[in-house]
Amino acid sequence: MREPLLIPFLCMALGVALGQALDFGVADSAWPAFAFCALFAISPSPYLRKSTLCLCLLSAGALLVALHRPTRIPVLDVSSREIAVAEGCVVQPTVLSNDRAQFVLELEPGARVQVQVPSNPVQLRYGQRVEIEARFRTPHNFQNPGSFDYAAYLARRDIFWTALVPAKGSVRVLPGECGSRWLGWIFALRT
């Protein structure tokens, strides 16, 4: 065969498409993947090995979709006009652009907020504990059919809110460290 990875790629892509269309759960797609992998390992004929490998990749594609689907959407009890105080761990360091700073703050495991600081940009590094005064809101799409699904993109990254620190608000660095030491080294190397 001229393109040996084409059939495995197509099996995995079909599994991803089926996982999105049929909304499989993790258990619904995990047990067939493991069963087909076991059949692949013990099958004596080459034809049976190829077909069980394709079925294993198909169910692995559905399993990937199920694993990356957000399981719970946390709720923040704040109106969009109200300034609230929140504290958390910086999980993505500050990105500066012109007169604005942007970083990602993890309020609790699996619940993150993307913070924008338009005035007085502050440089934060991974693993710092921070307290912010900001206006929080849930991200929304622009209601254009077929356009980029911004809210789902952020949800896949466990970001469920955006926050804007107004001129009266503040970003205060708290004592202590948080986060993974390994990721701290990676982000320090990147900067």
Side-chain angles (χ1 to χ4, degrees):
M1 179 176 214
R2 205 169 152 196
E3 301 294 333
L5 295 179
L6 182 64
I7 291 175
F9 170 77
L10 290 175
C11 290
M12 184 73 95
L14 181 62
V16 168
L18 284 174
Q20 288 179 343
L22 300 177
D23 198 25
F24 288 117
V26 174
D28 297 334
S29 53
W31 73 264
F34 292 123
F36 288 128
C37 285
L39 284 174
F40 170 75
I42 63 170
S43 59
S45 74
Y47 176 75
L48 192 57
R49 288 178 66 90
K50 288 178 185 176
S51 59
T52 54
L53 178 64
C54 286
L55 290 171
C56 178
L57 290 173
L58 187 125
S59 48
L63 178 63
L64 282 175
V65 171
L67 287 174
H68 288 92
R69 186 175 295 125
T71 56
R72 67 175 184 93
I73 298 176
V75 177
L76 193 63
D77 190 24
V78 178
S79 70
S80 62
R81 298 284 178 210
E82 177 181 1
I83 294 179
V85 177
E87 94 175 43
C89 182
V90 176
V91 292
Q92 286 185 0
T94 305
V95 177
L96 297 171
S97 63
N98 295 340
D99 58 343
R100 163 189 334 217
Q102 180 174 320
F103 61 94
V104 176
L105 187 68
E106 186 172 55
L107 303 178
E108 63 182 49
R112 297 178 177 178
V113 60
Q114 184 171 335
V115 183
Q116 291 187 10
V117 185
S119 59
N120 301 330
V122 60
Q123 182 70 32
L124 300 170
R125 61 179 166 70
Y126 175 85
Q128 283 184 307
R129 293 185 58 238
V130 175
E131 180 181 84
I132 61 169
E133 294 178 39
R135 288 189 176 98
F136 291 85
R137 70 182 186 122
T138 56
H140 63 279
N141 295 324
F142 294 104
Q143 306 304 322
N144 292 337
S147 68
F148 178 65
D149 191 356
Y150 182 63
Y153 164 74
L154 289 178
R156 281 192 300 274
R157 297 174 55 209
D158 291 331
I159 299 173
F160 296 101
W161 307 283
T162 57
L164 178 66
V165 177
K168 297 176 187 175
S170 67
V171 176
R172 210 167 46 103
V173 177
L174 300 174
E177 296 289 320
C178 56
S180 164
R181 185 172 290 184
W182 169 250
L183 283 176
W185 290 337
I186 298 287
F187 279 113
L189 183 65
R190 284 179 61 188
T191 55

